[in-house]
Amino acid sequence: MSTPEGLHKGPIDHVVTHGTFSLDGGTWEVDNNVWVVGDENEVVVIDAAHDPEAIGEIIAGRRVVAVVCTHAHDDHVNQAPRLADTFNAPILLNPAEAPLWEMTHPNRTPDQEIGDGQVIKAGGIELRALVTPGHSPGSTCLYAPELKTVFTGDTLFQGGPGATGRSYSSFDTIIDSIRGTLLPLPGDTEVRTGHGDSTTIGSEAPHLEEWIARGH
């Protein structure tokens, strides 16, 4: 079951998809935010999760410039090859995510690497890659200054950093990424996350020391 939002005209469309996340021998039910960014002609898909039909509905016939993965946990990439093939679009992923990607797609590699500072354009909108390791080795956020929005995947949520208790994650590293890369963004920047509700940089920044103190 998925919940579409918006009128599928951009600049930001959104669907919540439902499925599972598996790692380190455990499996959990999850709802994922899938973001589609662009205009009425072309878009970028951020995190192709669970339900390709629902994602296809919000793409709504527009050209897909790229399927960008913020990281390679299976709940964020499980439909990336299918969407890429359906819409003839490349899959973009930071190369440090390779060990996690291969767990889900051992016979398929991403089409292009995405690195810090790289710009992806769709419908006149620029998305700048901000590599923010910690939740996973190559976690990458996408910052759209003109939209006053950063898509943070599982790096920063309303209420704190993403989980770091599993393989290939580091709490100290995610704190460094948030402190050094995300919190310096303008305070009115909307944080659109991989799961759950959006927030703003200004709402989260005052709580950094609390997150460090609690240690997760």
Side-chain angles (χ1 to χ4, degrees), residues 18-31 50 75 166:
H18 181 76
T20 62
F21 163 55
S22 298
L23 188 65
D24 296 338
T27 297
W28 300 266
E29 298 277 330
V30 287
D31 290 323
H50 308 309
D75 59 318
R166 304 187 182 105

Side-chain angles (χ1 to χ4, degrees), residues 91-147:
I91 300 168
L92 276 61
L93 179 70
N94 185 275
E97 293 292 291
L100 289 165
W101 172 271
E102 290 164 4
M103 292 179 186
T104 305
H105 301 299
N107 300 313
R108 173 77 173 261
T109 56
D111 300 293
Q112 298 175 22
E113 296 182 353
I114 187 168
D116 195 58
Q118 183 174 334
V119 174
I120 304 155
K121 298 180 181 180
I125 295 167
E126 294 190 353
L127 294 166
R128 182 173 301 277
L130 307 174
V131 178
T132 52
H135 180 69
S136 62
S139 283
T140 302
C141 300
L142 296 167
Y143 177 45
E146 66 189 284
L147 301 180

Side-chain angles (χ1 to χ4, degrees), residues 5 8 12 14 16 18 25 29 38 55 63 73 75 96 105 130 133 142 148 157 164 166 170 174 176 205 212:
E5 292 184 2
H8 322 319
I12 301 172
H14 172 222
V16 178
H18 181 76
E29 298 277 330
I55 300 168
R63 185 174 79 89
H73 285 152
D75 59 318
H105 301 299
L130 307 174
L142 296 167
K148 296 184 176 181
F157 292 101
T164 53
R166 304 187 182 105
S170 164
I174 202 171
D176 287 345
I212 295 170

